Structure formats: C-alpha cells, structure tokens
C-alpha cells in the first residue's frame, strides 16, 4: 500500500498538478478541487508553512555599499566623457539587506523546489506582458503567512466539503488557509 494517492496520473503529471495546486493555494489563500487532491495538497502546503514558521526570524541584517548608476528624469543613465570615452556616472549607496542564515536558506531552497514562479498581471493590462510583476511566494510565506501561524502547532489548512461535482459526481471541496 502506497503512502500517497496516485490520482490516476503518472508520477511527473501528479507532481506537476500538486505543485500547481499548492502554488495557487498559497498565492490565493483558497482553491476548489476534489477531496482526494485536497488531502494531498494539504500535506505539502502544511509542510511548507511549518518550514516558514520555523525559520521566519532566522536572518541577520547587513549594511552593504553598492554602486548605482545615476539616471536623468527619463530614466536613462547619465554619461560623461573621460579620456575621449563615454563613461557611466556611478554613486555609492548604503543599503540594509536581509542575509539568510544557513538553515533558512536551506528552507528557502526546499520551498523553491515545490513552488512555481507566479507572475501578477494588473487588471487593466489583462492579456499583455507589460507591467507584469514576479511574485516572490517564498518571501510571502516568510513575511505574511508564517507570522499568522506562529502560535499554532499545525493545522494550517481547512477542507470544507461543497458537494458532488455535476459531471462525474466527485466530491468537491474548498481547501483554504485557516
């Protein structure tokens, strides 16, 4: 007897399906799917949230100086002539960045193995590539989702039965973050 559901798919199809569903669950907060799929999604999602809760504060802030190109009002780089060549003008800027500790970095990489990259398209630009943004779901897990569940010891998702699906009478459920 297997320790997981096969869902009537080959292993690579099943893995892709579950990755997609977990990504959508964490991005949207809830999804509608079948009961068997929801129970498999719950295992993966709860593991990722538990990792995020465990490693949420495991970083240090570091001050870094970086060279940044100066830009004019149009957003183009400012260039000046030195020794007959056009050279970009740079200024030094100090920034504070979060540096992950080794265990948090490992957790981040484990999450990236499961989650697909998400691009957010504004409503007014639907169907266009312009002004799309990459959403960092791992950072969302660490900064938004994990702080909500610090006091909980598991049980981060809830499965609510909706009823049988019209086509094949499969039990449909709503899986959501608690």
């Amino acid at each position: 007897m297997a320790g997981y559901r096969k869902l009537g798919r080959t292993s690579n199809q099943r893995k892709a399906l579950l990755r997609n569903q977990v990504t959508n669950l964490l991005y949207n907060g809830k999804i509608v799917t079948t009961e068997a799929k929801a129970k498999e999604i719950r295992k993966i999602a709860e593991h990722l949230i538990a990792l995020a809760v465990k490693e949420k504060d495991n970083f240090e802030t570091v001050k870094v100086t970086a060279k940044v190109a100066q830009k004019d009002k149009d957003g183009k780089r400012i260039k000046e002539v030195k020794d007959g060549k056009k050279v970009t003008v740079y200024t030094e800027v100090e920034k504070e960045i979060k540096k992950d500790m080794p265990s948090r970095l490992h957790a981040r990489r484990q999450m990236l193995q499961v989650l697909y990259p998400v691009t957010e398209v504004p409503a007014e630009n639907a169907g266009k590539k312009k002004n799309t943004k990459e959403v960092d779901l791992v950072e969302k897990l660490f900064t938004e989702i994990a702080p909500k569940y610090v006091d909980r010891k598991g049980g981060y998702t809830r499965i609510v039965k909706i009823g049988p699906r019209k086509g094949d009478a499969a039990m449909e459920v709503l899986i959501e973050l608690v």
Side-chain angles (χ1 to χ4, degrees):
M1 185 168 177
Y4 55 89
R5 292 166 182 83
K6 304 278 193 299
L7 304 175
R9 289 169 168 79
T10 61
S11 60
N12 57 354
Q13 290 173 342
R14 183 172 52 249
K15 184 178 177 185
L17 171 94
L18 293 174
R19 285 179 67 189
N20 188 16
Q21 298 256 319
V22 169
T23 301
N24 282 316
L25 173 65
L26 294 175
Y27 179 65
N28 297 318
K30 60 184 172 182
I31 56 171
V32 175
T33 184
T34 63
E35 190 174 11
K37 289 177 195 168
K39 288 179 180 178
E40 287 299 306
I41 293 164
R42 167 187 265 175
K43 289 180 189 177
I44 300 167
E46 294 214 2
H47 174 68
L48 294 180
I49 294 170
L51 267 175
V53 167
K54 183 180 172 191
E55 299 292 339
K56 121 183 137 52
D57 293 325
N58 199 5
F59 63 89
E60 59 185 4
T61 54
V62 180
K63 285 191 177 185
V64 178
T65 56
K67 287 185 176 180
V68 179
Q70 288 184 354
K71 296 185 178 178
D72 61 2
K73 65 178 183 279
D74 298 328
K76 295 182 180 176
R77 292 181 172 191
I78 298 173
K79 298 192 182 239
E80 63 181 32
V81 178
K82 284 189 181 175
D83 301 328
K85 294 181 181 177
K86 283 189 175 180
V87 181
T88 306
V89 181
Y90 291 97
T91 56
E92 286 197 3
V93 179
E94 277 204 13
K95 289 184 175 182
E96 276 196 10
I97 60 168
K98 288 182 181 178
K99 184 180 175 192
D100 288 344
M101 299 305 269
S103 60
R104 179 174 162 133
L105 179 63
H106 180 60
R108 179 181 296 273
R109 288 180 176 161
Q110 284 180 317
M111 291 173 191
L112 286 171
Q113 281 183 333
V114 175
L115 300 172
Y116 280 126
V118 177
T119 49
E120 195 172 71
V121 181
E124 65 271 2
N125 293 338
K128 299 178 185 171
K129 285 189 176 179
K130 205 169 191 181
N131 297 329
T132 58
K133 290 190 289 185
E134 278 283 324
V135 178
D136 190 1
L137 263 185
V138 176
E139 196 57 36
K140 181 179 179 180
L141 266 168
F142 282 128
T143 57
E144 295 175 27
I145 297 173
K148 288 195 295 189
Y149 300 119
V150 172
D151 300 329
R152 279 182 94 95
K153 294 182 179 175
Y156 308 118
T157 57
R158 173 187 302 137
I159 295 176
V160 180
K161 290 185 180 181
I162 296 174
R165 191 161 54 193
K166 189 164 187 171
D168 59 357
M171 182 56 73
E172 272 198 324
V173 296
L174 172 78
I175 181 169
E176 60 187 351
L177 298 176
V178 178

